[in-house]
Protein backbone atom coordinates (compact mmCIF):
# COMPACT_ATOMS: atom_id res chain seq x y z
CA UNK A 1 0.00 0.00 0.00
CA UNK A 2 3.02 2.22 0.26
CA UNK A 3 2.16 4.38 3.26
CA UNK A 4 0.68 4.38 6.75
CA UNK A 5 -3.00 5.13 7.14
CA UNK A 6 -5.04 5.92 10.24
CA UNK A 7 -7.62 3.53 11.64
CA UNK A 8 -11.03 5.09 10.97
CA UNK A 9 -14.50 4.54 9.60
CA UNK A 10 -15.28 5.80 6.09
CA UNK A 11 -18.48 7.68 5.30
CA UNK A 12 -20.46 7.91 2.07
CA UNK A 13 -19.12 11.44 1.69
CA UNK A 14 -15.54 10.13 1.93
CA UNK A 15 -16.23 7.74 -0.95
CA UNK A 16 -17.90 10.38 -3.10
CA UNK A 17 -15.04 12.82 -2.57
CA UNK A 18 -12.44 10.12 -3.21
CA UNK A 19 -14.04 9.15 -6.52
CA UNK A 20 -13.96 12.82 -7.56
CA UNK A 21 -10.30 13.16 -6.55
CA UNK A 22 -9.47 9.96 -8.42
CA UNK A 23 -10.97 11.41 -11.59
CA UNK A 24 -8.97 14.61 -11.06
CA UNK A 25 -5.79 12.56 -10.73
CA UNK A 26 -6.61 10.63 -13.87
CA UNK A 27 -7.21 13.85 -15.83
CA UNK A 28 -3.91 15.28 -14.61
CA UNK A 29 -2.07 12.07 -15.50
CA UNK A 30 -3.52 12.29 -19.02
CA UNK A 31 -2.25 15.87 -19.31
CA UNK A 32 1.21 14.88 -18.07
CA UNK A 33 1.34 12.06 -20.63
CA UNK A 34 0.36 14.44 -23.43
CA UNK A 35 3.00 16.97 -22.36
CA UNK A 36 5.79 14.36 -21.97
CA UNK A 37 6.65 15.40 -18.43
CA UNK A 38 8.24 12.09 -17.38
CA UNK A 39 11.84 11.25 -16.60
CA UNK A 40 13.14 8.60 -19.00
CA UNK A 41 16.72 9.69 -19.72
CA UNK A 42 18.44 7.44 -17.17
CA UNK A 43 16.08 4.48 -16.61
CA UNK A 44 16.70 2.38 -13.54
CA UNK A 45 15.78 -1.05 -12.23
CA UNK A 46 14.72 -1.92 -8.70
CA UNK A 47 14.08 -4.92 -6.49
CA UNK A 48 11.90 -5.71 -3.49
CA UNK A 49 12.18 -9.00 -1.63
CA UNK A 50 9.64 -10.25 0.89
CA UNK A 51 10.98 -12.66 3.51
CA UNK A 52 9.65 -14.91 6.26
CA UNK A 53 10.84 -14.98 9.84
CA UNK A 54 11.47 -18.30 11.60
CA UNK A 55 12.79 -19.39 14.97
CA UNK A 56 15.72 -21.77 15.56
CA UNK A 57 13.51 -24.75 14.70
CA UNK A 58 12.31 -23.31 11.38
CA UNK A 59 8.81 -22.53 12.72
CA UNK A 60 7.16 -19.13 12.05
CA UNK A 61 8.41 -16.35 14.31
CA UNK A 62 5.89 -13.54 14.95
CA UNK A 63 8.66 -11.03 15.58
CA UNK A 64 8.75 -8.55 12.71
CA UNK A 65 8.54 -5.46 14.94
CA UNK A 66 11.44 -6.67 17.07
CA UNK A 67 13.50 -7.63 14.04
CA UNK A 68 12.77 -4.34 12.29
CA UNK A 69 13.88 -2.43 15.37
CA UNK A 70 17.08 -4.50 15.56
CA UNK A 71 17.90 -3.94 11.86
CA UNK A 72 17.26 -0.18 12.15
CA UNK A 73 17.46 0.46 8.42
CA UNK A 74 14.80 2.41 6.47
CA UNK A 75 15.22 0.02 3.52
CA UNK A 76 13.35 -2.58 5.62
CA UNK A 77 9.64 -2.49 6.43
CA UNK A 78 6.88 -4.66 7.83
CA UNK A 79 4.55 -6.68 5.66
CA UNK A 80 1.03 -7.96 6.29
CA UNK A 81 1.94 -10.77 8.70
CA UNK A 82 4.01 -10.59 11.87
CA UNK A 83 6.19 -13.33 10.35
CA UNK A 84 7.06 -11.16 7.29
CA UNK A 85 9.54 -8.42 6.42
CA UNK A 86 10.37 -6.68 3.16
CA UNK A 87 13.56 -5.09 1.89
CA UNK A 88 13.57 -2.44 -0.80
CA UNK A 89 16.94 -2.54 -2.60
CA UNK A 90 17.91 0.97 -3.82
CA UNK A 91 17.24 1.51 -7.55
CA UNK A 92 20.18 1.50 -9.95
CA UNK A 93 21.10 1.35 -13.61
CA UNK A 94 21.00 -2.25 -14.81
CA UNK A 95 24.73 -2.35 -15.63
CA UNK A 96 25.91 -0.04 -12.85
CA UNK A 97 28.98 -1.06 -10.89
CA UNK A 98 30.04 -4.16 -12.80
CA UNK A 99 29.00 -7.83 -12.79
CA UNK A 100 29.05 -8.54 -9.04
CA UNK A 101 27.97 -5.16 -7.71
CA UNK A 102 24.23 -5.78 -7.30
CA UNK A 103 24.73 -9.26 -5.86
CA UNK A 104 27.24 -7.95 -3.31
CA UNK A 105 24.88 -5.14 -2.26
CA UNK A 106 21.92 -7.50 -1.80
CA UNK A 107 23.90 -10.15 0.06
CA UNK A 108 25.44 -7.55 2.37
CA UNK A 109 22.00 -6.16 3.23
CA UNK A 110 20.51 -9.61 3.85
CA UNK A 111 23.49 -10.85 5.87
CA UNK A 112 23.38 -7.76 8.09
CA UNK A 113 19.64 -8.23 8.62
CA UNK A 114 20.12 -11.92 9.46
CA UNK A 115 22.79 -11.03 12.00
CA UNK A 116 20.51 -8.49 13.66
CA UNK A 117 17.50 -10.84 13.54
CA UNK A 118 19.51 -13.51 15.38
CA UNK A 119 20.01 -11.06 18.23
CA UNK A 120 16.26 -11.23 18.93
CA UNK A 121 15.88 -14.96 18.29
CA UNK A 122 14.75 -14.97 14.65
CA UNK A 123 16.11 -15.87 11.20
CA UNK A 124 15.29 -14.80 7.64
CA UNK A 125 14.24 -17.18 4.88
CA UNK A 126 13.58 -16.35 1.21
CA UNK A 127 10.89 -18.74 0.01
CA UNK A 128 7.56 -18.48 -1.81
CA UNK A 129 5.52 -19.94 1.07
CA UNK A 130 7.01 -20.97 4.41
CA UNK A 131 6.52 -24.78 4.55
CA UNK A 132 6.09 -24.83 8.34
CA UNK A 133 3.27 -22.28 8.27
CA UNK A 134 0.03 -23.75 9.63
CA UNK A 135 -3.49 -22.44 9.60
CA UNK A 136 -3.32 -21.41 13.25
CA UNK A 137 -0.49 -19.04 12.33
CA UNK A 138 -2.67 -16.87 10.07
CA UNK A 139 -5.44 -15.67 12.37
CA UNK A 140 -6.20 -12.08 13.37
CA UNK A 141 -3.37 -12.06 15.92
CA UNK A 142 -0.84 -12.53 13.09
CA UNK A 143 -1.65 -9.19 11.44
CA UNK A 144 1.22 -6.71 11.72
CA UNK A 145 0.77 -3.86 14.17
CA UNK A 146 0.54 -1.04 11.62
CA UNK A 147 -3.11 0.15 11.52
CA UNK A 148 -3.13 0.09 7.71
CA UNK A 149 -3.26 -3.70 7.69
CA UNK A 150 -6.22 -3.89 10.08
CA UNK A 151 -8.00 -1.22 8.06
CA UNK A 152 -7.38 -3.04 4.79
CA UNK A 153 -8.60 -6.28 6.37
CA UNK A 154 -11.80 -4.62 7.61
CA UNK A 155 -12.52 -3.01 4.25
CA UNK A 156 -12.04 -6.24 2.28
CA UNK A 157 -14.42 -8.13 4.56
CA UNK A 158 -16.92 -5.27 4.55
CA UNK A 159 -16.94 -5.46 0.73
CA UNK A 160 -17.12 -9.25 0.73
CA UNK A 161 -19.69 -9.71 3.48
CA UNK A 162 -18.56 -13.25 4.36
CA UNK A 163 -15.49 -15.33 5.18
CA UNK A 164 -12.89 -16.04 2.51
CA UNK A 165 -13.09 -19.43 0.83
CA UNK A 166 -9.72 -20.94 -0.06
CA UNK A 167 -9.69 -24.05 -2.23
CA UNK A 168 -6.57 -25.36 -3.97
CA UNK A 169 -5.97 -28.81 -5.45
CA UNK A 170 -2.74 -30.64 -6.17
CA UNK A 171 -1.17 -33.80 -4.79
CA UNK A 172 -3.28 -33.02 -1.70
CA UNK A 173 -6.33 -30.81 -1.48
CA UNK A 174 -6.94 -27.72 0.66
CA UNK A 175 -10.44 -26.50 1.44
CA UNK A 176 -10.81 -23.98 4.21
CA UNK A 177 -12.28 -20.64 5.25
CA UNK A 178 -10.57 -17.59 6.70
CA UNK A 179 -12.00 -14.68 8.65
CA UNK A 180 -8.99 -12.40 8.02
CA UNK A 181 -6.81 -11.67 4.99
CA UNK A 182 -3.72 -12.94 6.86
CA UNK A 183 -3.42 -16.05 4.63
CA UNK A 184 -2.22 -13.56 2.02
CA UNK A 185 0.85 -13.04 4.22
CA UNK A 186 1.89 -16.60 3.40
CA UNK A 187 2.70 -15.35 -0.13
CA UNK A 188 6.22 -13.91 -0.19
CA UNK A 189 7.47 -12.61 -3.51
CA UNK A 190 10.27 -10.99 -5.44
CA UNK A 191 9.26 -7.83 -7.26
CA UNK A 192 11.36 -6.51 -10.12
CA UNK A 193 10.89 -2.88 -11.14
CA UNK A 194 11.72 -1.46 -14.56
CA UNK A 195 11.55 2.27 -15.25
CA UNK A 196 10.41 3.04 -18.80
CA UNK A 197 9.23 6.02 -20.81
CA UNK A 198 5.47 6.54 -21.30
CA UNK A 199 5.93 5.66 -24.99
CA UNK A 200 7.64 2.35 -24.16
CA UNK A 201 5.42 1.43 -21.23
CA UNK A 202 2.68 -0.47 -23.11
CA UNK A 203 5.21 -2.60 -24.99
CA UNK A 204 7.13 -3.50 -21.84
CA UNK A 205 3.93 -4.25 -19.91
CA UNK A 206 2.62 -6.42 -22.73
CA UNK A 207 5.95 -8.25 -22.92
CA UNK A 208 5.93 -8.84 -19.16
CA UNK A 209 2.41 -10.25 -19.37
CA UNK A 210 3.38 -12.53 -22.26
CA UNK A 211 6.25 -14.15 -20.31
CA UNK A 212 4.63 -14.28 -16.86
CA UNK A 213 3.87 -17.99 -17.18
CA UNK A 214 7.40 -18.81 -18.26
CA UNK A 215 8.82 -16.86 -15.32
CA UNK A 216 6.66 -18.73 -12.83
CA UNK A 217 7.41 -22.14 -14.35
CA UNK A 218 11.16 -21.54 -14.14
CA UNK A 219 11.17 -20.08 -10.62
CA UNK A 220 8.32 -21.92 -8.81
CA UNK A 221 9.17 -22.17 -5.12
CA UNK A 222 5.94 -22.64 -3.15
CA UNK A 223 4.65 -26.24 -3.25
CA UNK A 224 3.46 -26.48 0.38
CA UNK A 225 0.75 -24.70 2.37
CA UNK A 226 -0.71 -25.67 5.75
CA UNK A 227 1.10 -29.05 5.68
CA UNK A 228 -0.33 -29.92 2.25
CA UNK A 229 1.45 -30.45 -1.09
CA UNK A 230 -0.45 -28.37 -3.65
CA UNK A 231 0.62 -26.45 -6.78
CA UNK A 232 4.30 -25.94 -7.65
CA UNK A 233 3.66 -22.21 -7.12
CA UNK A 234 0.75 -22.30 -4.67
CA UNK A 235 1.39 -18.62 -4.00
CA UNK A 236 -0.48 -17.69 -7.20
CA UNK A 237 -3.92 -19.21 -6.40
CA UNK A 238 -3.56 -18.41 -2.69
CA UNK A 239 -2.94 -14.72 -3.34
CA UNK A 240 -5.84 -14.59 -5.80
CA UNK A 241 -8.23 -16.10 -3.27
CA UNK A 242 -6.96 -14.51 -0.05
CA UNK A 243 -7.67 -10.93 -1.22
CA UNK A 244 -10.90 -11.56 -3.12
CA UNK A 245 -13.53 -8.98 -2.21
CA UNK A 246 -16.24 -10.78 -4.24
CA UNK A 247 -18.79 -13.18 -2.79
CA UNK A 248 -19.82 -15.98 -5.14
CA UNK A 249 -22.85 -14.15 -6.52
CA UNK A 250 -20.71 -11.19 -7.56
CA UNK A 251 -18.12 -13.46 -9.20
CA UNK A 252 -20.68 -15.03 -11.52
CA UNK A 253 -21.77 -11.55 -12.62
CA UNK A 254 -18.31 -11.04 -14.10
CA UNK A 255 -17.01 -8.48 -11.58
CA UNK A 256 -13.21 -8.30 -11.84
CA UNK A 257 -11.03 -9.67 -9.02
CA UNK A 258 -8.59 -7.37 -7.23
CA UNK A 259 -5.75 -9.82 -7.87
CA UNK A 260 -5.88 -9.53 -11.61
CA UNK A 261 -3.96 -10.60 -14.66
CA UNK A 262 -5.99 -8.17 -16.76
CA UNK A 263 -8.10 -8.82 -19.83
CA UNK A 264 -6.37 -7.22 -22.84
CA UNK A 265 -3.12 -5.97 -24.27
CA UNK A 266 -2.73 -2.21 -23.79
CA UNK A 267 -1.71 0.72 -25.96
CA UNK A 268 -1.01 3.20 -23.13
CA UNK A 269 -0.22 3.16 -19.41
CA UNK A 270 -3.34 5.30 -19.10
CA UNK A 271 -5.42 2.22 -19.97
CA UNK A 272 -4.44 0.55 -16.70
CA UNK A 273 -5.09 3.52 -14.41
CA UNK A 274 -8.41 4.17 -16.16
CA UNK A 275 -9.41 0.53 -15.59
CA UNK A 276 -8.59 0.95 -11.91
CA UNK A 277 -11.14 3.74 -11.60
CA UNK A 278 -13.72 2.12 -13.87
CA UNK A 279 -13.79 -1.36 -12.36
CA UNK A 280 -12.71 -1.18 -8.71
CA UNK A 281 -14.42 0.61 -5.81
CA UNK A 282 -12.07 2.21 -3.32
CA UNK A 283 -11.00 0.10 -0.35
CA UNK A 284 -9.26 3.01 1.38
CA UNK A 285 -10.94 6.30 0.33
CA UNK A 286 -8.37 8.59 1.96
CA UNK A 287 -8.16 12.03 0.35
CA UNK A 288 -4.98 14.08 0.21
CA UNK A 289 -5.01 17.86 0.58
CA UNK A 290 -3.20 18.42 -2.72
CA UNK A 291 -5.14 19.72 -5.72
CA UNK A 292 -3.26 17.91 -8.51
CA UNK A 293 -4.43 20.25 -11.29
CA UNK A 294 -3.37 23.32 -9.31
CA UNK A 295 0.01 21.74 -8.50
CA UNK A 296 0.65 20.94 -12.16
CA UNK A 297 -0.57 24.37 -13.25
CA UNK A 298 2.08 26.15 -11.19
CA UNK A 299 4.81 23.96 -12.66
CA UNK A 300 5.26 21.52 -9.77
CA UNK A 301 4.92 17.74 -9.86
CA UNK A 302 1.67 16.38 -8.38
CA UNK A 303 1.87 13.29 -6.18
CA UNK A 304 -1.47 11.94 -7.43
CA UNK A 305 -1.97 10.45 -3.97
CA UNK A 306 -5.44 9.03 -4.53
CA UNK A 307 -4.43 7.42 -7.82
CA UNK A 308 -1.36 5.75 -6.31
CA UNK A 309 -3.13 4.59 -3.14
CA UNK A 310 -5.97 3.05 -5.16
CA UNK A 311 -3.46 1.43 -7.52
CA UNK A 312 -1.77 -0.14 -4.48
CA UNK A 313 -4.99 -1.98 -3.56
CA UNK A 314 -5.35 -3.57 -7.02
CA UNK A 315 -2.91 -6.45 -7.25
CA UNK A 316 -2.04 -6.84 -10.91
CA UNK A 317 0.64 -9.42 -11.58
CA UNK A 318 2.37 -6.69 -13.59
CA UNK A 319 1.44 -3.39 -11.98
CA UNK A 320 1.92 0.14 -13.32
CA UNK A 321 3.70 2.47 -10.90
CA UNK A 322 3.68 6.27 -10.92
CA UNK A 323 6.29 7.81 -8.61
CA UNK A 324 8.44 10.88 -8.07
CA UNK A 325 12.21 10.66 -7.59
CA UNK A 326 14.73 13.50 -7.62
CA UNK A 327 11.87 15.96 -8.27
CA UNK A 328 10.88 14.19 -11.50
CA UNK A 329 7.92 11.88 -12.15
CA UNK A 330 8.52 8.50 -13.73
CA UNK A 331 6.70 5.31 -14.68
CA UNK A 332 7.67 1.74 -13.80
CA UNK A 333 6.49 -1.76 -14.57
CA UNK A 334 6.39 -3.71 -11.29
CA UNK A 335 6.77 -7.42 -12.07
CA UNK A 336 5.09 -9.31 -9.21
CA UNK A 337 4.73 -12.91 -10.40
CA UNK A 338 7.88 -14.44 -8.89
CA UNK A 339 8.27 -16.05 -5.46
CA UNK A 340 11.07 -15.10 -3.11
CA UNK A 341 14.25 -17.18 -3.17
CA UNK A 342 15.75 -19.65 -3.04
CA UNK A 343 19.04 -17.69 -3.14
CA UNK A 344 20.40 -14.32 -4.19
CA UNK A 345 22.07 -16.09 -7.13
CA UNK A 346 18.72 -17.50 -8.28
CA UNK A 347 17.02 -14.13 -7.76
CA UNK A 348 19.52 -12.26 -9.93
CA UNK A 349 19.34 -14.96 -12.60
CA UNK A 350 15.54 -14.51 -12.65
CA UNK A 351 16.05 -10.77 -12.96
CA UNK A 352 18.54 -11.08 -15.81
CA UNK A 353 16.15 -13.36 -17.70
CA UNK A 354 13.25 -10.94 -17.16
CA UNK A 355 15.11 -7.76 -18.06
CA UNK A 356 16.85 -9.27 -21.07
CA UNK A 357 13.83 -11.07 -22.48
CA UNK A 358 11.42 -8.15 -22.15
CA UNK A 359 13.85 -5.86 -23.97
CA UNK A 360 14.32 -8.37 -26.77
CA UNK A 361 10.56 -8.86 -27.14
CA UNK A 362 9.94 -5.11 -27.21
CA UNK A 363 12.49 -4.71 -30.01
CA UNK A 364 11.05 -7.50 -32.19
CA UNK A 365 9.63 -6.40 -35.53
CA UNK A 366 6.41 -8.31 -34.96
CA UNK A 367 5.58 -8.22 -31.22
CA UNK A 368 4.65 -11.46 -29.53
CA UNK A 369 1.43 -9.89 -28.22
CA UNK A 370 0.28 -9.38 -31.82
CA UNK A 371 0.59 -13.15 -32.36
CA UNK A 372 -0.76 -14.43 -29.04
CA UNK A 373 -4.17 -14.02 -27.44
CA UNK A 374 -4.29 -12.37 -24.04
CA UNK A 375 -6.22 -15.35 -22.66
CA UNK A 376 -3.38 -17.67 -23.76
CA UNK A 377 -0.93 -15.61 -21.69
CA UNK A 378 -3.25 -15.85 -18.67
CA UNK A 379 -3.72 -19.60 -19.16
CA UNK A 380 0.07 -19.96 -19.27
CA UNK A 381 0.37 -18.29 -15.86
CA UNK A 382 -2.01 -20.68 -14.13
CA UNK A 383 -0.69 -23.76 -15.93
CA UNK A 384 2.86 -22.79 -14.88
CA UNK A 385 1.80 -22.18 -11.27
CA UNK A 386 0.12 -25.58 -11.14
CA UNK A 387 2.79 -27.67 -12.90
CA UNK A 388 6.00 -25.66 -12.51
CA UNK A 389 8.98 -26.42 -14.70
CA UNK A 390 7.20 -29.56 -15.93
CA UNK A 391 4.46 -27.46 -17.58
CA UNK A 392 3.73 -27.24 -21.28
CA UNK A 393 3.03 -23.64 -22.28
CA UNK A 394 1.77 -22.03 -25.46
CA UNK A 395 4.12 -19.86 -27.51
CA UNK A 396 3.46 -18.41 -30.98
CA UNK A 397 5.08 -20.45 -33.75
CA UNK A 398 5.74 -23.38 -31.41
CA UNK A 399 2.33 -24.33 -30.07
CA UNK A 400 2.25 -26.04 -26.66
CA UNK A 401 5.80 -26.91 -25.72
CA UNK A 402 7.64 -28.06 -22.54
CA UNK A 403 9.04 -25.09 -20.65
CA UNK A 404 12.71 -26.22 -20.80
CA UNK A 405 12.47 -26.63 -24.57
CA UNK A 406 10.78 -23.25 -25.03
CA UNK A 407 13.41 -21.49 -22.93
CA UNK A 408 16.47 -23.25 -24.34
CA UNK A 409 15.44 -23.07 -27.99
CA UNK A 410 13.73 -19.70 -28.17
CA UNK A 411 13.70 -17.46 -25.10
CA UNK A 412 17.18 -17.80 -23.59
CA UNK A 413 18.96 -16.61 -26.76
CA UNK A 414 16.57 -13.66 -26.81
CA UNK A 415 17.37 -12.84 -23.18
CA UNK A 416 21.09 -12.87 -24.03
CA UNK A 417 20.43 -10.50 -26.92
CA UNK A 418 18.38 -8.14 -24.76
CA UNK A 419 21.05 -7.97 -22.06
CA UNK A 420 23.75 -7.44 -24.65
CA UNK A 421 21.77 -4.50 -26.02
CA UNK A 422 21.61 -3.19 -22.44
CA UNK A 423 25.40 -3.20 -22.16
CA UNK A 424 26.21 -6.61 -20.61
CA UNK A 425 29.07 -8.44 -22.26
CA UNK A 426 29.24 -12.23 -22.60
CA UNK A 427 31.38 -12.77 -19.49
CA UNK A 428 28.80 -10.88 -17.45
CA UNK A 429 25.70 -12.53 -18.95
CA UNK A 430 26.83 -16.14 -18.93
CA UNK A 431 26.95 -16.70 -15.15
CA UNK A 432 23.48 -15.19 -14.75
CA UNK A 433 21.66 -16.79 -17.65
CA UNK A 434 23.72 -19.95 -17.23
CA UNK A 435 21.71 -20.57 -14.04
CA UNK A 436 18.48 -20.41 -16.06
CA UNK A 437 19.99 -22.74 -18.67
CA UNK A 438 21.01 -25.32 -16.08
CA UNK A 439 17.61 -25.15 -14.39
CA UNK A 440 16.12 -26.13 -17.74
CA UNK A 441 18.70 -28.86 -18.46
CA UNK A 442 18.19 -30.41 -15.01
CA UNK A 443 14.45 -29.57 -14.80
CA UNK A 444 15.04 -28.50 -11.19
CA UNK A 445 13.89 -25.38 -9.37
CA UNK A 446 12.94 -24.57 -5.78
CA UNK A 447 9.59 -26.35 -5.92
CA UNK A 448 11.18 -29.52 -7.29
CA UNK A 449 13.89 -29.51 -4.60
CA UNK A 450 11.37 -28.92 -1.81
CA UNK A 451 9.07 -31.76 -2.87
CA UNK A 452 11.95 -34.18 -3.52
CA UNK A 453 13.60 -33.39 -0.20
CA UNK A 454 10.29 -33.70 1.65
CA UNK A 455 9.59 -37.15 0.20
CA UNK A 456 13.21 -38.23 0.74
CA UNK A 457 13.09 -37.26 4.43
CA UNK A 458 9.67 -38.82 4.82
CA UNK A 459 10.99 -42.12 3.44
CA UNK A 460 14.01 -42.08 5.77
CA UNK A 461 12.02 -41.41 8.93
CA UNK A 462 8.26 -41.44 9.28
CA UNK A 463 8.16 -38.60 11.81
CA UNK A 464 4.90 -37.06 10.63
CA UNK A 465 4.26 -34.57 7.86
CA UNK A 466 4.87 -31.36 9.79
CA UNK A 467 8.09 -32.57 11.38
CA UNK A 468 9.34 -33.62 7.93
CA UNK A 469 8.51 -30.17 6.54
CA UNK A 470 10.32 -28.57 9.47
CA UNK A 471 13.46 -30.59 8.79
CA UNK A 472 13.25 -29.79 5.10
CA UNK A 473 12.91 -26.08 5.94
CA UNK A 474 16.04 -26.14 8.09
CA UNK A 475 17.97 -27.83 5.27
CA UNK A 476 16.64 -25.20 2.85
CA UNK A 477 17.95 -22.42 5.08
CA UNK A 478 21.41 -24.00 5.21
CA UNK A 479 21.63 -24.21 1.41
CA UNK A 480 20.17 -20.72 1.01
CA UNK A 481 23.07 -19.27 2.99
CA UNK A 482 25.60 -21.05 0.75
CA UNK A 483 24.11 -19.09 -2.21
CA UNK A 484 24.59 -21.99 -4.63
CA UNK A 485 21.81 -21.98 -7.25
CA UNK A 486 18.94 -24.28 -6.33
CA UNK A 487 19.44 -26.64 -9.28
CA UNK A 488 22.74 -27.71 -7.63
CA UNK A 489 21.22 -28.51 -4.23
CA UNK A 490 21.53 -32.21 -3.36
CA UNK A 491 18.72 -34.35 -1.98
CA UNK A 492 20.31 -36.52 0.68
Amino acid sequence: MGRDVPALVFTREDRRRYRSKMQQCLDVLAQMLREARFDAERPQVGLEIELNLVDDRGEPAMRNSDVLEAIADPAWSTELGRFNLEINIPPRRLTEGGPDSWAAEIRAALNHAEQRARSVGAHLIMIGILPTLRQQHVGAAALSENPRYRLLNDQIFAARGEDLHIEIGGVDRLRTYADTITPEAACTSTQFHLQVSPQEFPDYWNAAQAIAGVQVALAANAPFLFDRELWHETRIPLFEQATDTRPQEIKVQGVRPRVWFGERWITSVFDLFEENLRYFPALLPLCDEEDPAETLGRGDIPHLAELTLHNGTIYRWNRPVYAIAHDKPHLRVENRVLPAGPTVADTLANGAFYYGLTRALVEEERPVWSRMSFSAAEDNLHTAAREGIEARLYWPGMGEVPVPELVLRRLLPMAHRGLERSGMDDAWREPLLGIIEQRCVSARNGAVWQTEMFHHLDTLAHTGRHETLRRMTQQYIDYMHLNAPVHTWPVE
Side-chain angles (χ1 to χ4, degrees):
M1 287 167 46
R3 58 177 172 172
D4 294 347
V5 296
L8 46 78
V9 175
F10 297 116
T11 65
R12 292 191 296 272
E13 172 61 21
D14 290 330
R15 295 186 180 280
R16 184 205 61 76
R17 182 167 175 248
Y18 191 82
R19 181 176 284 110
S20 176
K21 284 294 296 288
M22 272 285 296
Q23 186 61 59
Q24 278 185 282
C25 288
L26 200 60
D27 293 342
V28 168
L29 176 66
Q31 182 179 345
M32 294 174 71
L33 290 169
R34 288 193 302 271
E35 296 173 357
R37 294 184 179 235
F38 289 86
D39 179 22
E41 291 181 6
R42 293 178 57 83
Q44 296 185 313
V45 298
L47 172 63
E48 297 173 76
I49 304 172
E50 297 168 352
L51 301 102
N52 286 285
L53 295 173
V54 296
D55 60 20
D56 290 338
R57 288 176 45 81
E59 301 280 5
M62 306 293 174
R63 305 291 303 276
N64 66 356
S65 294
D66 297 333
V67 173
L68 200 61
E69 184 177 353
I71 295 173
D73 183 337
W76 290 84
S77 60
T78 58
E79 266 294 320
L80 179 66
R82 291 177 184 266
F83 52 90
N84 300 143
L85 280 181
E86 179 179 80
I87 182 172
N88 195 330
I89 305 297
R92 61 191 292 124
R93 300 292 297 276
L94 181 60
T95 56
E96 178 184 332
D100 301 319
S101 173
W102 212 14
E105 180 182 359
I106 296 167
R107 292 190 70 188
L110 293 177
N111 288 338
H112 169 74
E114 167 65 16
Q115 181 183 28
R116 301 307 303 148
R118 285 178 183 173
S119 71
V120 295
H123 304 275
L124 304 177
I125 175 173
M126 293 194 301
I127 197 166
I129 293 176
L130 180 62
T132 54
L133 195 70
R134 302 173 108 167
Q135 197 154 356
Q136 60 261 37
H137 294 131
V138 293
L143 278 174
S144 286
E145 294 175 6
N146 193 305
R148 76 177 189 247
Y149 300 118
R150 176 69 60 182
L151 184 58
L152 182 64
N153 179 80
D154 293 346
Q155 292 301 303
I156 285 178
F157 278 91
R160 184 176 174 84
E162 62 189 53
D163 287 352
L164 290 164
H165 181 217
I166 296 172
E167 182 170 353
I168 306 170
V171 175
D172 303 315
R173 190 171 193 86
L174 174 66
R175 288 179 177 174
T176 189
Y177 288 87
D179 58 4
T180 74
I181 61 169
T182 323
E184 178 198 331
C187 308
T188 38
S189 67
T190 298
Q191 296 149 31
F192 288 108
H193 290 253
L194 176 60
Q195 182 185 341
V196 294
S197 70
Q199 295 76 23
E200 294 176 314
F201 187 98
D203 287 351
Y204 273 97
W205 188 85
N206 289 341
Q209 292 284 95
I211 67 169
V214 180
Q215 287 182 275
V216 168
L218 286 173
N221 195 32
F224 295 101
L225 173 66
F226 301 158
D227 287 352
R228 291 171 176 85
E229 185 178 346
L230 302 170
W231 291 18
H232 283 237
E233 187 54 33
T234 304
R235 190 183 118 265
I236 297 291
L238 177 60
F239 193 67
E240 289 176 340
Q241 296 177 36
T243 53
D244 200 339
T245 58
R246 307 167 302 161
Q248 189 61 36
E249 298 82 359
I250 298 299
K251 287 183 188 179
V252 299
Q253 293 176 36
V255 173
R256 280 83 173 171
R258 292 193 93 94
V259 177
W260 200 31
F261 189 76
E263 59 192 18
R264 61 192 174 101
W265 307 117
I266 65 169
T267 57
S268 168
V269 65
F270 186 82
D271 297 347
L272 302 178
F273 287 111
E274 186 181 39
E275 285 178 348
N276 288 356
L277 179 58
R278 184 189 309 137
Y279 296 144
F280 300 101
L283 285 179
L284 302 170
L286 293 162
C287 287
D288 193 80
E289 294 301 318
E290 179 186 68
D291 181 323
E294 181 181 297
T295 301
L296 187 66
R298 65 170 180 261
D300 293 331
I301 305 302
H303 287 85
L304 306 184
E306 293 79 13
L307 178 142
T308 57
L309 178 59
H310 189 53
N311 186 53
T313 65
I314 298 159
Y315 306 97
R316 297 176 186 271
W317 292 114
N318 284 290
R319 178 191 275 166
V321 176
Y322 167 91
I324 301 172
H326 309 297
D327 298 320
K328 291 184 178 181
H330 67 260
L331 296 170
R332 304 196 302 268
V333 178
E334 181 187 12
N335 179 248
R336 301 164 48 82
V337 298
L338 291 177
T343 65
V344 172
D346 287 298
T347 299
L348 291 179
N350 294 337
F353 182 74
Y354 168 70
Y355 290 127
L357 183 54
T358 50
R359 174 155 186 171
L361 289 171
V362 164
E363 293 180 353
E364 277 195 308
E365 245 181 78
R366 190 179 172 202
V368 64
W369 51 94
S370 70
R371 299 176 283 130
M372 179 183 192
S373 71
F374 195 85
S375 61
E378 183 173 15
D379 289 345
N380 277 353
L381 174 65
H382 289 98
T383 300
R386 187 170 52 251
E387 301 174 13
I389 204 165
E390 301 166 3
R392 295 175 64 91
L393 303 182
Y394 173 80
W395 195 259
M398 298 182 75
E400 285 197 357
V401 61
V403 167
E405 181 182 344
L406 170 61
V407 173
L408 293 173
R409 282 181 52 196
R410 181 69 60 88
L411 303 185
L412 200 57
M414 295 180 70
H416 271 285
R417 188 162 67 249
L419 291 180
E420 185 178 22
R421 296 270 294 168
S422 300
M424 282 193 187
D425 60 27
D426 185 67
W428 190 341
R429 297 191 313 271
E430 280 295 342
L432 292 168
L433 294 183
I435 292 173
I436 302 297
E437 179 182 13
Q438 289 306 307
R439 258 191 238 159
C440 291
V441 170
S442 62
R444 298 181 60 76
N445 58 17
V448 171
W449 183 87
Q450 286 190 55
T451 54
E452 287 187 357
M453 179 58 87
F454 167 77
H455 290 292
H456 172 69
L457 292 173
D458 188 51
T459 301
L460 289 179
H462 299 287
T463 55
R465 175 165 286 210
H466 186 79
E467 175 62 16
T468 303
L469 287 169
R470 188 191 68 78
R471 293 182 181 185
M472 183 269 286
T473 300
Q474 289 189 305
Q475 186 67 70
Y476 180 105
I477 293 171
D478 289 343
Y479 289 144
M480 179 190 75
H481 284 301
L482 294 177
N483 200 37
V486 71
H487 69 267
T488 68
W489 291 10
V491 176
E492 59 185 24

